[in-house]
Amino acid sequence: MSAQEAGREPVGGGSEERVARAGLSRCVEPGDQAARWALEALGAPRLWELLKGSAPTEQEHSNFASVAEREMGVEPDGQLSERQQTGRALLAGLQRWLPRAVDAWPEQDMANAYQVNGGFLIPEDPHWPRALNVLGDAEPLGLWWRGPGLPAWGAEPSLSIVGTRDPSPYGVHITRQFTGQLASRGLCIVSGGAIGVDVLAHAAALEARDDGSTDCATLATVCVLAGGVDRLYPSSNGRLLKHLATKQLILSEYPPGSQPTRWRFLARNRLIAALSSGTLVIEGRWRSGSLSTAHHAAELGRWVGAVPGPITASTSEGPHRLIREGSAELVTRGEDVLAALGWNVQGTLDLGEPESERRPTDGLDEIEARLWESLPLSRAVEVNKLLGVAGVGAMEGLSALQRLRRKGMAEQREDGSWRRG
Amino acid sequence: MSAQEAGREPVGGGSEERVARAGLSRCVEPGDQAARWALEALGAPRLWELLKGSAPTEQEHSNFASVAEREMGVEPDGQLSERQQTGRALLAGLQRWLPRAVDAWPEQDMANAYQVNGGFLIPEDPHWPRALNVLGDAEPLGLWWRGPGLPAWGAEPSLSIVGTRDPSPYGVHITRQFTGQLASRGLCIVSGGAIGVDVLAHAAALEARDDGSTDCATLATVCVLAGGVDRLYPSSNGRLLKHLATKQLILSEYPPGSQPTRWRFLARNRLIAALSSGTLVIEGRWRSGSLSTAHHAAELGRWVGAVPGPITASTSEGPHRLIREGSAELVTRGEDVLAALGWNVQGTLDLGEPESERRPTDGLDEIEARLWESLPLSRAVEVNKLLGVAGVGAMEGLSALQRLRRKGMAEQREDGSWRRG
């Protein structure tokens, strides 16, 4: 993704749509269906007015109900109880969103993002990552960002690398190995900035690019947080996250100041899954959060890979579970990832078997192989004895021996006996 | 498999068919197609006569050609060259088999097998393992055996456990773990008696049954050798193989005195695959012989499992390769094997997730979970603040809090505030 000197100011300025979505991003949790219906029925600016105290009109209620009924698949002549349900959904939604709207000051949030060298991106912006469209109803209202600039999304391939917060020494090793190999091939590595595999992946991506400068052509890594971009959580990763905020890119759908919570981590995982062409799970326990990222990716039709490990390690339970379920492909090499995604960037793929595994009998037919294996290692053998040991007839055997001779694998001595070539 | 006091003598005595097949077993390598056609066209006794010097009649040539042409799919009005080819196949076969027939003395081989407490089994015997029928053209001519008796094949489930000759400490551990667990559930463990995983599996199966006596009801383990049953190869496993020969069962398709060779190991692997309902690969390099057993099993429609390991270990390349190819199911627990094969013997299966992985929020709906997670760990919180943090409306929130209260997961204090239950 080419980093661009895109708008230091909130791209497109503080339009009504942008301010409204910024405000809504504080009040509405991801996955709130009623909010999605209201957005379609009323538009973001009017929905934001309702949250600031305006009351919905009869017509707006009706518009909302139409969207809700269409989405729920309720027939126009449907059950009264179902129609009442959709009618109530807007009121229940407002009840959820209003308490937070009291404390929502989107212009201030946008100023705060600007203060930390960022902004607020909405779907109509040219720099919106189109990869998120795949989320449909679960697309975020907007993206708070922080970094030197916004990339030209999709220009270069990206891979999400996720895993446990508590990797084994093996997990640490393979995170570094995979990330380093793939980042040096030009892949942008997406992760969640958490301790453990996430932060190792970010760091290894940076190291592989050996940049540290802002004027590199492409992003090495993108971090998607579950709290505000001004709160570099967890603080133990503060130094690295600060570096990412300065030189790479940090994203969040929650406004500045937001606290990460368990459900926000889970919701955030869908963004990590959607932003990349594929997701690689390194290590994780049976119910690791990284499995939720993998499941999101699989549901979105994205490729998912998982790295196996010892069955005696609980940290490999997650990857093994994904592979057993058929949700993930077993991956042992960076080349497996590149091949699965059809990428072959900055270098040639070698997917053949290891050189060390080639055998002298490769390429021989069965008769030739049996004769060659029946030749003693250090002495010559009489031809009839050789044919008997190999269980090969004279006619087929003599011509196979000549073929072995031409390949330099067998030698006939003057007395007619044969030895290895 | 119930061990039986089946014929100490060659079962059914030294019939013409048995003697002929015993003789042929010395002359013909497995997979020799012409031998299979000749057997069908002429019968074992007559084929054996030909190998002892009799010449085939014109009619016998013609019978052989008919079988060969049918098997090769040659039309009766086919190309002359194809018909000539089948005509030549019998002569080429005789040329292969005759040199060995000179030294073949089947009655002596049968006496030798009897000497070591064994015999020679042919497909018409009631104790023939019917599981081998699946091999079709690759069914062995007969089985040389050694042990206290022959089992009632198929009465109890069996599993082949195979792997590298040079296991890692991890491989040693998991071979013992899987074999012990599965053998103690009553599975008969089939393997090849080689050093490494094979011998560990045999030994662990014996240990799991804790028998050592001949009067146990079922066999713990069966060993299929690639040489004669009188040659307990490799000699470094001599003590264990001798024990198996005395207390369990050793099989081979090669007559007493036969040397194992590389192609005989490979051919032997098809018997290991066919004898069991499934094959489990523990460890093996990229081109381990155990992969050939797995591929045979997969081709025969038998279940195949493979145990993953660290991607940094070359000993796990084989299992990973099988899983990536789709030839094997990834297996992490003995229960995976039992479930895959629909076995649930001597005990109840627990295929649920590990107890340690259960979470307090399991079984809660999303609103309940968000409220419970938003409750501080050690102090009470005012209800409106709680609803705001959780992003939950008053109506839906208050009823969810009541449900949490009834589950004992939340408590309301006298001042109306809430805390964890």
Side-chain angles (χ1 to χ4, degrees):
Chain A
M1 307 170 187
S2 312
Q4 270 225 352
E5 269 317 304
R8 179 63 33 224
E9 294 80 11
V11 186
S15 73
E16 211 190 5
E17 176 81 12
R18 190 177 313 276
V19 172
R21 282 180 177 262
L24 290 168
S25 80
R26 184 169 292 284
C27 305
V28 173
E29 292 288 332
D32 190 321
Q33 221 169 21
R36 186 56 55 180
W37 298 337
L39 208 63
E40 180 177 342
L42 317 175
R46 176 62 184 149
L47 178 57
W48 180 235
E49 271 179 28
L50 298 188
L51 264 66
K52 291 311 271 183
S54 171
T57 65
E58 195 59 41
Q59 181 59 44
E60 286 173 335
H61 260 299
S62 164
N63 290 352
F64 176 86
S66 301
V67 172
E69 282 161 16
R70 189 197 66 212
E71 293 298 315
M72 290 178 71
V74 176
E75 298 294 325
D77 56 350
Q79 299 276 321
L80 189 60
S81 61
E82 282 179 323
R83 306 213 65 187
Q84 285 174 330
Q85 215 179 324
T86 61
R88 276 203 298 267
L90 179 58
L91 295 177
L94 288 170
Q95 220 184 24
R96 265 197 304 279
W97 310 322
L98 280 166
R100 288 177 168 183
V102 178
D103 294 324
W105 305 104
E107 286 90 348
Q108 185 57 51
D109 284 338
M110 287 161 75
N112 289 344
Y114 179 72
Q115 279 286 323
V116 295
N117 218 27
F120 181 63
L121 208 57
I122 57 177
E124 66 193 41
D125 289 324
H127 286 85
W128 181 257
R130 304 268 157 245
L132 295 182
N133 293 354
V134 73
L135 289 167
D137 269 5
E139 195 184 43
L141 293 160
L143 281 177
W144 299 90
W145 62 277
R146 188 173 173 186
L150 288 164
W153 298 101
E156 276 129 41
S158 60
L159 178 76
S160 297
I161 295 189
V162 295
T164 177
R165 287 178 165 71
D166 184 23
S168 70
Y170 168 71
V172 171
H173 171 76
I174 60 176
T175 305
R176 290 194 177 129
Q177 179 190 315
F178 272 94
T179 312
Q181 190 183 354
L182 294 167
S184 68
R185 299 271 194 140
L187 301 199
C188 173
I189 305 300
V190 179
S191 196
I195 59 169
V197 167
D198 284 18
V199 74
L200 288 165
H202 289 304
L206 286 172
E207 204 175 306
R209 296 295 182 87
D210 194 32
D211 57 355
S213 67
T214 53
D215 51 37
C216 71
T218 59
L219 278 178
T221 187
V222 171
C223 172
V224 189
L225 292 179
V229 293
D230 58 335
R231 302 178 82 104
L232 298 179
Y233 178 93
S235 55
S236 54
N237 289 347
R239 223 174 106 174
L240 181 99
L241 293 174
K242 180 83 187 150
H243 181 81
L244 297 183
T246 318
K247 311 284 192 185
Q248 302 287 327
L249 181 63
I250 290 185
L251 298 174
S252 173
E253 60 184 314
Y254 305 102
S258 297
Q259 296 262 19
T261 60
R262 206 182 98 75
W263 68 85
R264 285 180 175 170
F265 284 114
L266 290 173
R268 182 273 315 264
N269 290 344
R270 82 192 192 290
L271 301 186
I272 293 179
L275 275 172
S276 294
S277 312
T279 293
L280 181 65
V281 181
I282 298 274
E283 270 195 338
R285 294 197 163 67
W286 184 257
R287 290 183 62 173
S288 167
S290 58
L291 269 61
S292 94
T293 313
H295 285 136
H296 279 301
E299 275 164 30
L300 298 174
R302 299 284 159 83
W303 176 83
V304 181
V307 185
I311 59 167
T312 44
S314 58
T315 39
S316 288
E317 281 174 1
H320 292 159
R321 181 184 183 182
L322 288 171
I323 297 163
R324 274 182 62 79
E325 285 172 358
S327 308
E329 181 180 325
L330 183 148
V331 160
T332 65
R333 301 180 294 178
E335 284 88 351
D336 295 340
V337 178
L338 297 171
L341 292 164
W343 301 330
N344 187 5
V345 283
Q346 292 183 19
T348 318
L349 274 184
D350 179 12
L351 291 169
E353 58 189 321
E355 187 72 34
S356 61
E357 294 283 354
R358 308 239 162 91
R359 289 184 181 148
T361 49
D362 288 352
L364 300 186
D365 67 26
E366 203 197 315
I367 305 269
E368 291 164 3
R370 256 154 65 175
L371 284 167
W372 186 82
E373 284 162 358
S374 301
L375 282 167
L377 286 177
S378 52
R379 57 188 173 79
V381 64
E382 194 265 314
V383 69
N384 282 330
K385 181 154 172 32
L386 174 62
L387 295 173
V389 168
V392 168
M395 218 160 56
E396 58 194 5
L398 292 178
S399 65
L401 279 169
Q402 291 305 330
R403 291 196 298 277
L404 287 173
R405 190 182 54 73
R406 282 197 295 274
K407 290 177 183 174
M409 297 180 71
E411 276 176 27
Q412 191 168 23
R413 301 204 312 184
E414 288 192 4
D415 65 359
S417 64
W418 287 82
R419 50 178 293 164
R420 286 209 177 171
Chain B
M1 308 170 186
S2 311
Q4 271 223 354
E5 270 317 303
R8 180 62 33 222
E9 293 82 11
V11 185
S15 72
E16 210 188 5
E17 176 82 11
R18 191 177 312 277
V19 172
R21 282 180 175 262
L24 289 168
S25 80
R26 182 169 294 282
C27 306
V28 174
E29 291 290 330
D32 190 321
Q33 224 171 17
R36 185 57 53 180
W37 298 336
L39 208 63
E40 181 177 341
L42 319 175
R46 176 60 184 148
L47 179 57
W48 181 234
E49 271 180 28
L50 298 189
L51 264 64
K52 293 309 270 183
S54 170
T57 65
E58 194 61 39
Q59 181 60 45
E60 285 171 336
H61 261 298
S62 164
N63 289 351
F64 175 86
S66 302
V67 172
E69 282 161 17
R70 189 195 68 213
E71 292 298 315
M72 289 176 74
V74 175
E75 298 294 326
D77 56 350
Q79 299 276 320
L80 189 60
S81 63
E82 281 178 322
R83 305 210 67 184
Q84 283 174 331
Q85 214 179 325
T86 60
R88 276 202 298 266
L90 179 58
L91 294 179
L94 289 171
Q95 218 183 22
R96 267 196 302 279
W97 312 321
L98 281 166
R100 288 176 168 182
V102 178
D103 294 323
W105 305 105
E107 286 92 347
Q108 184 57 50
D109 284 336
M110 288 161 74
N112 288 344
Y114 178 74
Q115 279 287 324
V116 295
N117 218 29
F120 181 64
L121 208 57
I122 57 176
E124 68 192 40
D125 288 325
H127 285 85
W128 180 257
R130 302 271 157 244
L132 295 183
N133 292 354
V134 74
L135 289 168
D137 268 4
E139 196 184 45
L141 293 161
L143 281 176
W144 298 90
W145 63 276
R146 186 171 173 187
L150 286 165
W153 298 101
E156 275 132 42
S158 60
L159 178 76
S160 297
I161 295 188
V162 294
T164 176
R165 287 176 165 73
D166 183 24
S168 70
Y170 168 72
V172 172
H173 172 77
I174 59 177
T175 305
R176 289 193 176 127
Q177 180 189 317
F178 271 93
T179 312
Q181 191 183 355
L182 294 167
S184 68
R185 299 271 194 139
L187 300 200
C188 173
I189 305 299
V190 179
S191 198
I195 60 169
V197 167
D198 284 18
V199 74
L200 288 164
H202 289 304
L206 287 171
E207 204 174 305
R209 296 294 182 85
D210 194 30
D211 55 358
S213 68
T214 53
D215 53 37
C216 70
T218 60
L219 277 179
T221 189
V222 171
C223 173
V224 188
L225 291 179
V229 294
D230 58 335
R231 301 177 83 104
L232 299 179
Y233 178 92
S235 55
S236 54
N237 290 345
R239 222 175 109 175
L240 181 100
L241 292 174
K242 179 85 187 145
H243 181 83
L244 298 183
T246 319
K247 311 287 191 183
Q248 304 286 328
L249 181 62
I250 290 184
L251 298 174
S252 172
E253 59 185 314
Y254 305 100
S258 298
Q259 295 263 18
T261 60
R262 207 183 97 76
W263 68 85
R264 282 178 177 170
F265 283 115
L266 290 172
R268 180 274 315 265
N269 290 345
R270 83 191 193 290
L271 301 186
I272 293 180
L275 274 172
S276 293
S277 311
T279 293
L280 181 63
V281 181
I282 298 273
E283 270 194 337
R285 293 195 165 70
W286 184 258
R287 292 184 62 174
S288 167
S290 59
L291 269 61
S292 94
T293 313
H295 285 136
H296 278 302
E299 274 164 30
L300 298 173
R302 300 284 160 81
W303 176 83
V304 181
V307 184
I311 59 167
T312 44
S314 59
T315 38
S316 287
E317 281 173 1
H320 293 159
R321 182 184 184 182
L322 288 170
I323 297 163
R324 275 183 61 81
E325 286 173 357
S327 309
E329 182 179 325
L330 183 149
V331 160
T332 65
R333 302 182 293 180
E335 284 87 352
D336 295 339
V337 178
L338 297 170
L341 292 164
W343 301 330
N344 187 4
V345 286
Q346 294 182 21
T348 318
L349 273 185
D350 180 10
L351 291 170
E353 58 189 323
E355 188 72 35
S356 61
E357 293 282 355
R358 307 237 163 91
R359 290 187 180 147
T361 48
D362 287 353
L364 301 185
D365 66 28
E366 201 196 316
I367 306 267
E368 293 165 1
R370 255 151 66 172
L371 285 167
W372 186 81
E373 285 165 359
S374 301
L375 282 167
L377 285 177
S378 52
R379 58 191 173 76
V381 65
E382 194 264 312
V383 70
N384 282 330
K385 181 155 172 30
L386 175 61
L387 296 174
V389 168
V392 168
M395 219 160 57
E396 58 194 5
L398 293 177
S399 66
L401 279 169
Q402 291 304 331
R403 292 196 300 276
L404 286 173
R405 191 182 54 73
R406 284 197 295 275
K407 290 177 182 173
M409 296 178 72
E411 274 177 29
Q412 191 168 25
R413 301 204 314 184
E414 289 191 3
D415 64 3
S417 65
W418 287 83
R419 50 177 291 163
R420 287 208 176 173

Short mmCIF file of all heavy atoms in Angstrom, two decimals, chain A residues 366-389:
data_model
loop_
_atom_site.label_atom_id
_atom_site.label_comp_id
_atom_site.label_asym_id
_atom_site.label_seq_id
_atom_site.Cartn_x
_atom_site.Cartn_y
_atom_site.Cartn_z
N GLU A 366 10.15 -49.21 -12.33
CA GLU A 366 10.24 -50.13 -11.21
C GLU A 366 11.33 -51.18 -11.41
O GLU A 366 12.04 -51.54 -10.47
CB GLU A 366 8.89 -50.80 -10.95
CG GLU A 366 8.80 -51.31 -9.51
CD GLU A 366 7.68 -52.31 -9.32
OE1 GLU A 366 6.57 -52.05 -9.82
OE2 GLU A 366 7.93 -53.34 -8.66
N ILE A 367 11.44 -51.68 -12.63
CA ILE A 367 12.46 -52.71 -12.92
C ILE A 367 13.86 -52.14 -12.69
O ILE A 367 14.72 -52.75 -12.05
CB ILE A 367 12.34 -53.20 -14.38
CG1 ILE A 367 10.90 -53.68 -14.67
CG2 ILE A 367 13.38 -54.26 -14.69
CD1 ILE A 367 10.66 -55.12 -14.44
N GLU A 368 14.08 -50.93 -13.24
CA GLU A 368 15.39 -50.29 -13.06
C GLU A 368 15.70 -50.10 -11.57
O GLU A 368 16.81 -50.38 -11.11
CB GLU A 368 15.41 -48.93 -13.76
CG GLU A 368 15.37 -49.00 -15.29
CD GLU A 368 15.00 -47.66 -15.93
OE1 GLU A 368 14.82 -46.66 -15.20
OE2 GLU A 368 14.87 -47.62 -17.17
N ALA A 369 14.69 -49.61 -10.83
CA ALA A 369 14.91 -49.32 -9.40
C ALA A 369 15.24 -50.61 -8.65
O ALA A 369 16.14 -50.64 -7.81
CB ALA A 369 13.68 -48.65 -8.81
N ARG A 370 14.51 -51.69 -8.97
CA ARG A 370 14.76 -52.95 -8.26
C ARG A 370 16.15 -53.48 -8.56
O ARG A 370 16.85 -53.98 -7.68
CB ARG A 370 13.69 -53.97 -8.61
CG ARG A 370 12.69 -54.12 -7.47
CD ARG A 370 11.33 -54.57 -7.91
NE ARG A 370 11.34 -55.91 -8.46
CZ ARG A 370 10.23 -56.55 -8.84
NH1 ARG A 370 9.04 -55.99 -8.64
NH2 ARG A 370 10.28 -57.74 -9.37
N LEU A 371 16.55 -53.39 -9.82
CA LEU A 371 17.90 -53.85 -10.18
C LEU A 371 18.96 -53.00 -9.49
O LEU A 371 19.92 -53.53 -8.93
CB LEU A 371 18.09 -53.78 -11.71
CG LEU A 371 17.38 -54.89 -12.49
CD1 LEU A 371 17.36 -54.56 -13.98
CD2 LEU A 371 18.07 -56.24 -12.26
N TRP A 372 18.78 -51.69 -9.51
CA TRP A 372 19.79 -50.80 -8.92
C TRP A 372 19.91 -51.07 -7.43
O TRP A 372 21.00 -51.13 -6.89
CB TRP A 372 19.41 -49.33 -9.18
CG TRP A 372 20.48 -48.39 -8.72
CD1 TRP A 372 21.61 -48.04 -9.39
CD2 TRP A 372 20.52 -47.69 -7.46
NE1 TRP A 372 22.36 -47.17 -8.64
CE2 TRP A 372 21.72 -46.94 -7.46
CE3 TRP A 372 19.67 -47.63 -6.35
CZ2 TRP A 372 22.08 -46.12 -6.38
CZ3 TRP A 372 20.04 -46.83 -5.29
CH2 TRP A 372 21.23 -46.08 -5.30
N GLU A 373 18.72 -51.26 -6.77
CA GLU A 373 18.76 -51.53 -5.34
C GLU A 373 19.33 -52.92 -5.04
O GLU A 373 19.83 -53.16 -3.94
CB GLU A 373 17.36 -51.42 -4.74
CG GLU A 373 16.93 -49.95 -4.59
CD GLU A 373 15.44 -49.78 -4.41
OE1 GLU A 373 14.71 -50.80 -4.44
OE2 GLU A 373 15.00 -48.63 -4.26
N SER A 374 19.26 -53.83 -6.01
CA SER A 374 19.79 -55.17 -5.79
C SER A 374 21.29 -55.25 -6.06
O SER A 374 21.93 -56.25 -5.73
CB SER A 374 19.07 -56.18 -6.69
OG SER A 374 17.68 -56.17 -6.41
N LEU A 375 21.84 -54.20 -6.69
CA LEU A 375 23.29 -54.18 -6.90
C LEU A 375 23.98 -53.96 -5.57
O LEU A 375 23.65 -53.01 -4.86
CB LEU A 375 23.68 -53.06 -7.87
CG LEU A 375 23.44 -53.31 -9.36
CD1 LEU A 375 23.56 -52.01 -10.15
CD2 LEU A 375 24.43 -54.34 -9.90
N PRO A 376 24.95 -54.83 -5.20
CA PRO A 376 25.63 -54.62 -3.92
C PRO A 376 26.39 -53.29 -3.95
O PRO A 376 26.73 -52.78 -5.02
CB PRO A 376 26.62 -55.80 -3.84
CG PRO A 376 26.17 -56.77 -4.87
CD PRO A 376 25.45 -56.00 -5.92
N LEU A 377 26.63 -52.73 -2.78
CA LEU A 377 27.23 -51.40 -2.71
C LEU A 377 28.69 -51.40 -3.17
O LEU A 377 29.16 -50.45 -3.77
CB LEU A 377 27.15 -50.85 -1.28
CG LEU A 377 25.75 -50.41 -0.87
CD1 LEU A 377 25.74 -49.96 0.59
CD2 LEU A 377 25.27 -49.27 -1.77
N SER A 378 29.42 -52.48 -2.87
CA SER A 378 30.87 -52.37 -3.05
C SER A 378 31.49 -53.47 -3.91
O SER A 378 32.69 -53.47 -4.14
CB SER A 378 31.55 -52.38 -1.68
OG SER A 378 31.08 -53.49 -0.96
N ARG A 379 30.66 -54.40 -4.39
CA ARG A 379 31.28 -55.43 -5.22
C ARG A 379 30.38 -55.71 -6.42
O ARG A 379 29.24 -55.25 -6.46
CB ARG A 379 31.51 -56.71 -4.40
CG ARG A 379 30.26 -57.25 -3.77
CD ARG A 379 30.49 -58.41 -2.80
NE ARG A 379 29.21 -58.70 -2.16
CZ ARG A 379 28.25 -59.41 -2.75
NH1 ARG A 379 28.40 -59.89 -3.96
NH2 ARG A 379 27.11 -59.63 -2.11
N ALA A 380 30.92 -56.47 -7.37
CA ALA A 380 30.16 -56.80 -8.57
C ALA A 380 29.40 -58.11 -8.34
O ALA A 380 29.72 -58.89 -7.44
CB ALA A 380 31.10 -56.95 -9.76
N VAL A 381 28.34 -58.34 -9.15
CA VAL A 381 27.52 -59.52 -8.98
C VAL A 381 27.22 -60.11 -10.35
O VAL A 381 27.08 -59.38 -11.34
CB VAL A 381 26.22 -59.16 -8.21
CG1 VAL A 381 25.36 -58.20 -9.00
CG2 VAL A 381 25.44 -60.41 -7.84
N GLU A 382 27.14 -61.40 -10.39
CA GLU A 382 26.88 -62.13 -11.63
C GLU A 382 25.45 -61.83 -12.06
O GLU A 382 24.54 -61.73 -11.26
CB GLU A 382 27.12 -63.62 -11.33
CG GLU A 382 27.23 -64.50 -12.54
CD GLU A 382 25.89 -65.12 -12.85
OE1 GLU A 382 25.26 -65.62 -11.90
OE2 GLU A 382 25.49 -65.07 -14.04
N VAL A 383 25.25 -61.70 -13.38
CA VAL A 383 23.98 -61.16 -13.86
C VAL A 383 22.77 -62.02 -13.50
O VAL A 383 21.72 -61.50 -13.13
CB VAL A 383 24.04 -60.85 -15.38
CG1 VAL A 383 24.12 -62.13 -16.20
CG2 VAL A 383 22.86 -60.00 -15.80
N ASN A 384 22.91 -63.35 -13.58
CA ASN A 384 21.74 -64.19 -13.28
C ASN A 384 21.36 -64.12 -11.81
O ASN A 384 20.18 -64.13 -11.46
CB ASN A 384 22.01 -65.65 -13.68
CG ASN A 384 21.86 -65.84 -15.17
OD1 ASN A 384 21.06 -65.13 -15.81
ND2 ASN A 384 22.63 -66.76 -15.74
N LYS A 385 22.35 -64.01 -10.96
CA LYS A 385 22.09 -63.86 -9.54
C LYS A 385 21.37 -62.53 -9.29
O LYS A 385 20.39 -62.45 -8.55
CB LYS A 385 23.41 -63.90 -8.76
CG LYS A 385 23.25 -63.77 -7.26
CD LYS A 385 24.41 -64.44 -6.53
CE LYS A 385 24.45 -64.20 -5.04
NZ LYS A 385 23.22 -64.04 -4.34
N LEU A 386 21.85 -61.47 -9.98
CA LEU A 386 21.23 -60.16 -9.86
C LEU A 386 19.76 -60.21 -10.28
O LEU A 386 18.87 -59.70 -9.56
CB LEU A 386 22.01 -59.15 -10.71
CG LEU A 386 21.43 -57.74 -10.81
CD1 LEU A 386 21.39 -57.08 -9.45
CD2 LEU A 386 22.25 -56.89 -11.78
N LEU A 387 19.48 -60.85 -11.40
CA LEU A 387 18.10 -60.93 -11.89
C LEU A 387 17.22 -61.69 -10.89
O LEU A 387 16.08 -61.32 -10.64
CB LEU A 387 18.06 -61.61 -13.26
CG LEU A 387 18.77 -60.84 -14.40
CD1 LEU A 387 18.80 -61.69 -15.67
CD2 LEU A 387 18.09 -59.51 -14.68
N GLY A 388 17.79 -62.76 -10.32
CA GLY A 388 17.03 -63.56 -9.35
C GLY A 388 16.70 -62.77 -8.10
O GLY A 388 15.57 -62.79 -7.62
N VAL A 389 17.70 -62.07 -7.58
CA VAL A 389 17.47 -61.27 -6.36
C VAL A 389 16.40 -60.22 -6.61
O VAL A 389 15.50 -60.00 -5.80
CB VAL A 389 18.78 -60.59 -5.89
CG1 VAL A 389 18.51 -59.56 -4.82
CG2 VAL A 389 19.75 -61.65 -5.37
#
